[in-house]
Amino acid sequence: MFTALEDYLEHRYTETQVWGKDTTVADLEDAFEHFQEHNRYHPDDIVYMLELGGFKLVDRLSYRNDRFVRLVVEK
């Protein structure tokens, strides 16, 4: 079953805990490590992380049912 990274983070942490100014690198490493132990990253998760980093999705091409994806982003 596919669990989106965004849903996982919102369920496990409050928004202020994950993305707040008091969040440590260790907190983020823990969150992403535990997600990866039980889930695979989906292209939507990559887009989510890019958008959090301030990038805008320009184009997305999927191949083989999203097993491979080409993302074009701009900042």
Side-chain angles (χ1 to χ4, degrees):
M1 180 177 175
F2 168 69
T3 300
L5 177 62
E6 182 177 10
D7 294 340
Y8 169 80
L9 293 174
E10 287 178 3
H11 176 73
R12 182 166 177 180
Y13 304 96
T14 65
E15 187 173 323
T16 55
Q17 289 176 316
V18 175
W19 308 117
K21 64 181 178 180
D22 296 329
T23 303
T24 66
V25 171
D27 293 333
L28 290 174
E29 287 174 348
D30 182 63
F32 284 92
E33 183 177 309
H34 283 98
F35 177 81
Q36 190 173 359
E37 288 175 357
H38 304 286
N39 299 281
R40 291 186 179 178
Y41 286 102
H42 187 272
D44 291 341
D45 298 328
I46 306 302
V47 170
Y48 168 69
M49 288 187 284
L50 286 166
E51 289 174 343
L52 283 175
F55 291 89
K56 177 184 171 190
L57 181 65
V58 175
D59 191 27
R60 173 182 173 162
L61 292 174
S62 297
Y63 306 93
R64 298 181 70 194
N65 294 326
D66 277 340
R67 289 194 61 179
F68 303 97
V69 64
R70 184 186 77 163
L71 302 172
V72 179
V73 296
E74 66 182 8
K75 188 156 187 170

